[in-house]
Amino acid sequence: MTRWWHGLLAGWLISGASVLSGADPVVDAVTERMAARIPETLRRECWFGDQRPYSDRAWWAEQAKTPEGRKRIAAAEKLLASPLPVPTDELYLEFSRNGNRSRYQSVRSNLEKNVTVVAAAWCLTGDPRYRERLEAALRAFLAAKSWVLPAHDRGNRIWKGETISIDLVSALLGWRLAVVSRTVEGALDPELIQELNRQIHARVLTPFRDMLDGKRKADSWLTARTNWNAVCLAGVTGAALALEPDFDVRARIVAGAVRLIAHSLQGFGADGYCFEGVGYWNYGYGHNLRFALMVYRATDGAVNLMEHPAMLAAGRYGEAIQLPGGMVPAFADCGLNARVLDVLCQWRNFLAGTAAGSGEPFWMDGSLPMVALTPPVRRDRTEAVPEKPGKAAFSWFPSGGVAVLRPVSGGRFAAAVKGGSNDEPHNHNDVGSYVVMIDNVPMLFDPGSEVYTRRTFSKDRYQSCLLNSFGHPVPVVDGKLQRHGGGTACRTIEAAEQNGVFRWRTELQPAYGDPRIRSLERSFTLERRPERIVVCDRGKFAAALSFETALIAPVEFRKTAPDAVEVSHGGKVLRIKISASGPFELVPTEIKEDSPTRQRVFRLGIRLLDPAENPEIRTEFLIGN
């Protein structure tokens, strides 16, 4: 590598700070040092891992005999049983007409599956039926006016050909198509491969280079502290490593991506907390890991993103957020069925030096084995083992005000509580929310995310009762729900366990923004022997205001006494005793919003009959069986 190139790269890195950082002048010293090492450590050849080409028939024949290989062939057979799904212009434009994004996205996702799964089956078997379907699917993508989602194409300008931009799905599509192209190169129509490579450059690689060079306005995700940054950079980097023949251009793209990945790392709490929820940890941090593994392997281990403290801290979240049975609290835009992906913990351990790696192919998304992501065997690993979920009595994330409580010594209660703020990525207005489980069964819960529509990411987001505070077990003051935005962060007063009792107290007043609310304190206490949980809300108001709190459950509440209800779910029974500073009524409501899991959501309002200056409502939870 010439000194001229080192000087050029260093100059670009310095100038890039002003071009790309915009209002965020923070320069991450760790990723800057890593980026500066790329020119001298990156492999010279165009590289995409140890991916075997179609021509290596012996290797593919061996893979076809494995359980994973047989699974891919079976999946491809199912796809061939149906006509090729082609996303039409009418489907693309539906979002701009009525806000529905699901129908187009479903068809498009199916088409991408037809590319990757069928490509894998063709490589495994050599069956010409798979080649024909693969060619048809590739031509469908080549004919598409846009590779981005309609929801990310404001005014349909990309679809109209007026501009070009990169989003989550176009970046990942570029990566996957690049791997397919390199794998089947020489075995598929050369003109088709040539056009495929041209479009990957035109729709993904060239726009990214132009943003780095300041030739076009930077997409917002380049400096976003969210999953977008990690996902898009992983896609662009994967495509560049697979396809870009010019070493200097490839090195510049990878170095730029290494520098920019610092923004997504800044989006995690200092303690590793993922404000976007577990589903987005899988997606966002998962692509931080994919990116890190690609760079690690492309530099023969010389550049390891896991050396960044934020990358390591965010990795610990995977164990620390888990409840019994691998369940997780559905805070923020998290699905009720979300689970931490084991493979991500394996990748993290490999990069952190606590696991050796298997060297076996990893079949990404049921498609071609992304061997670029396969950790080789490390000889320098330590023998340290990460903490397993359930080992500690509780995990505490100060940055999010979140505590996760696990049963110990034969206990049956588990819980999670959330303070934080209502100014977070993929925010729900949920300051003070909590989850209660008996054994592995959720009894009181956070209902999680809704099916995304145009409303979800608009000014009307909090009309949804899954996203606003009505759908969370938090107070309503003077008939008003929690607000969102800046200045809503609650203040943690206490979060500690001593002598078998965990106490969490927080000040909720900022979430309501009403100057008449002098204080609104919520306490959550878990006693381990005998087991019980007590939640108490106490207000100090400048005037008598109406006041209520709520319980949220996946099943209907059954009233057993004027001051008691119970929840029966999954063969478990939770008994709830209610007391208050004055007479109260119980107001049951079913929240009817569009949940991805179709889970029914029941809210039990506990409403004081008279306004009060110093209201108090206390709920006590006991295991009923």
Side-chain angles (χ1 to χ4, degrees):
M1 183 63 60
T2 65
R3 291 184 179 180
W4 170 84
W5 166 251
H6 283 298
L8 178 64
L9 178 62
W12 169 75
L13 286 171
I14 294 172
S15 65
S18 59
V19 171
L20 297 179
S21 292
D24 181 8
V26 175
V27 174
D28 189 293
V30 180
T31 52
E32 289 290 336
R33 288 196 297 270
M34 292 180 180
R37 297 188 63 197
I38 293 298
E40 63 188 28
T41 60
L42 192 69
R43 294 188 186 189
R44 297 292 305 184
E45 70 275 12
C46 191
W47 177 88
F48 69 129
D50 299 324
Q51 180 71 50
R52 305 297 179 89
Y54 175 87
S55 58
D56 191 343
R57 301 310 304 150
W59 185 85
W60 284 104
E62 286 301 312
Q63 293 300 311
K65 300 174 185 176
T66 67
E68 286 296 325
R70 292 194 294 269
K71 188 185 298 183
R72 302 302 168 242
I73 296 169
E77 280 299 310
K78 287 184 179 180
L79 292 176
L80 258 59
S82 301
L84 182 70
V86 178
T88 63
D89 288 349
E90 181 182 1
L91 279 176
Y92 190 95
L93 297 173
E94 183 178 13
F95 177 80
S96 59
R97 291 197 307 270
N98 59 29
N100 184 294
R101 55 190 287 170
S102 299
R103 293 210 307 147
Y104 173 85
Q105 289 178 192
S106 175
V107 174
R108 185 201 173 283
S109 176
N110 237 337
L111 178 61
E112 188 166 337
K113 186 183 296 184
N114 267 264
V115 169
T116 54
V117 173
V118 172
W122 181 41
C123 290
L124 289 163
T125 66
D127 189 326
R129 295 179 303 138
Y130 299 136
R131 185 194 65 235
E132 293 169 5
R133 174 60 73 98
L134 173 61
E135 289 180 342
L138 290 174
R139 294 186 192 281
F141 270 120
L142 295 178
K145 296 177 182 177
S146 168
W147 282 3
V148 308
L149 293 183
H152 304 152
D153 183 9
R154 183 172 299 180
N156 298 319
R157 295 188 63 219
I158 298 172
W159 180 82
K160 294 174 183 176
E162 298 173 357
T163 188
I164 188 69
S165 184
I166 304 170
D167 77 343
L168 303 160
V169 299
S170 67
L172 293 182
L173 178 64
W175 177 16
R176 290 166 185 167
L177 291 180
V179 172
V180 170
S181 174
R182 286 294 306 281
T183 304
V184 303
E185 192 176 35
L188 212 60
D189 179 356
E191 292 186 2
L192 176 60
I193 293 296
Q194 183 179 11
E195 178 61 15
L196 180 63
N197 294 347
R198 186 193 71 79
Q199 290 208 24
I200 294 169
H201 277 84
R203 300 194 197 223
V204 177
L205 294 177
T206 299
F208 184 73
R209 286 178 56 197
D210 288 347
M211 287 189 284
L212 293 181
D213 294 341
K215 294 180 180 178
R216 64 182 295 268
K217 182 180 178 181
D219 291 341
S220 61
W221 58 261
L222 266 75
T223 54
R225 297 184 177 188
T226 66
N227 65 82
W228 273 71
N229 177 270
V231 174
C232 292
L233 289 175
V236 169
T237 301
L241 289 173
L243 283 187
E244 179 51 61
D246 188 307
F247 174 80
D248 288 351
V249 172
R250 191 170 0 110
R252 191 167 183 178
I253 287 174
V254 176
V258 167
R259 180 182 178 276
L260 289 165
I261 202 75
H263 290 280
S264 61
L265 295 178
Q266 291 166 4
F268 296 98
D271 48 23
Y273 183 71
C274 181
F275 299 95
E276 297 178 298
V278 170
Y280 280 103
W281 184 84
N282 286 336
Y283 186 54
Y285 185 71
H287 279 91
N288 280 114
L289 287 168
R290 289 174 171 90
F291 175 85
L293 277 166
M294 282 190 287
V295 173
Y296 180 91
R297 299 214 63 194
T299 61
D300 291 323
V303 177
N304 185 351
L305 197 65
M306 194 58 74
E307 295 173 6
H308 196 297
M311 187 75 177
L312 193 59
R316 296 191 183 106
Y317 173 89
E319 276 85 14
I321 197 63
Q322 291 187 53
L323 290 159
M327 297 187 70
V328 297
F331 298 148
D333 273 348
C334 178
L336 287 172
N337 296 329
R339 299 291 184 272
V340 171
L341 297 179
D342 289 341
V343 69
L344 302 184
C345 297
Q346 295 167 18
W347 291 346
R348 175 208 59 197
N349 293 348
F350 167 77
L351 290 168
T354 62
S358 66
E360 295 299 318
F362 170 67
W363 293 75
M364 180 179 176
D365 301 330
S367 59
L368 283 172
M370 295 291 196
V371 187
L373 301 178
T374 300
V377 176
R378 283 186 66 162
R379 303 301 181 190
D380 61 339
R381 72 183 182 93
T382 68
E383 294 304 319
V385 177
E387 178 186 337
K388 297 294 183 182
K391 182 178 180 180
F394 76 97
S395 302
W396 171 237
F397 297 97
S399 65
V402 169
V404 179
L405 311 170
R406 306 179 187 89
V408 294
S409 302
R412 300 177 63 195
F413 262 142
V417 294
K418 180 186 181 297
S421 80
N422 290 333
D423 188 25
E424 300 170 342
H426 286 274
N427 178 71
H428 289 197
N429 290 343
D430 61 355
V431 169
S433 186
Y434 60 87
V435 172
V436 173
M437 297 174 60
I438 298 176
D439 299 328
N440 294 346
V441 179
M443 308 303 291
L444 301 175
F445 74 148
D446 185 304
S449 62
E450 69 172 8
V451 172
Y452 288 171
T453 66
R454 182 166 54 194
R455 182 187 74 171
T456 308
F457 299 102
S458 74
K459 62 181 179 58
D460 298 323
R461 175 178 177 87
Y462 297 105
Q463 288 181 4
S464 169
C465 287
L466 290 180
L467 310 186
N468 65 29
S469 66
F470 187 80
H472 294 85
V474 298
V476 177
V477 183
D478 196 31
K480 297 181 180 64
L481 303 178
Q482 291 185 3
R483 64 194 180 107
H484 67 276
T488 57
C490 71
R491 178 174 60 89
T492 300
I493 302 167
E494 179 182 14
E497 180 160 350
Q498 188 174 13
N499 299 323
V501 178
F502 174 83
R503 290 185 175 88
W504 177 81
R505 291 190 298 137
T506 191
E507 177 57 65
L508 303 181
Q509 187 276 338
Y512 294 85
D514 188 332
R516 297 173 298 172
I517 303 175
R518 293 171 176 166
S519 174
L520 178 53
E521 182 181 301
R522 162 159 285 186
S523 65
F524 185 103
T525 303
L526 169 60
E527 299 176 5
R528 298 195 181 273
R529 288 190 186 89
E531 286 190 289
R532 73 168 183 163
I533 293 174
V534 176
V535 177
C536 187
D537 295 323
R538 296 184 180 92
K540 294 181 181 179
F541 304 156
L545 304 175
S546 64
F547 185 76
E548 73 173 271
T549 192
L551 306 173
I552 306 293
V555 293
E556 292 185 79
F557 294 86
R558 187 174 75 88
K559 189 172 182 179
T560 57
D563 62 348
V565 296
E566 69 177 27
V567 173
S568 299
H569 186 220
K572 315 297 177 184
V573 176
L574 178 69
R575 292 177 179 167
I576 305 168
K577 177 79 171 177
I578 304 166
S579 58
S581 56
F584 61 88
E585 63 178 339
L586 302 180
V587 186
T589 306
E590 182 175 2
I591 295 175
K592 295 185 177 181
E593 297 282 0
D594 197 0
S595 166
T597 61
R598 306 301 180 200
Q599 172 64 60
R600 297 180 72 182
V601 179
F602 295 90
R603 179 185 191 272
L604 183 68
I606 306 170
R607 181 181 301 164
L608 295 182
L609 295 179
D610 301 311
E613 292 185 24
N614 298 291
E616 178 176 325
I617 298 178
R618 182 179 184 274
T619 50
E620 178 182 358
F621 309 139
L622 299 171
I623 298 173
N625 63 346

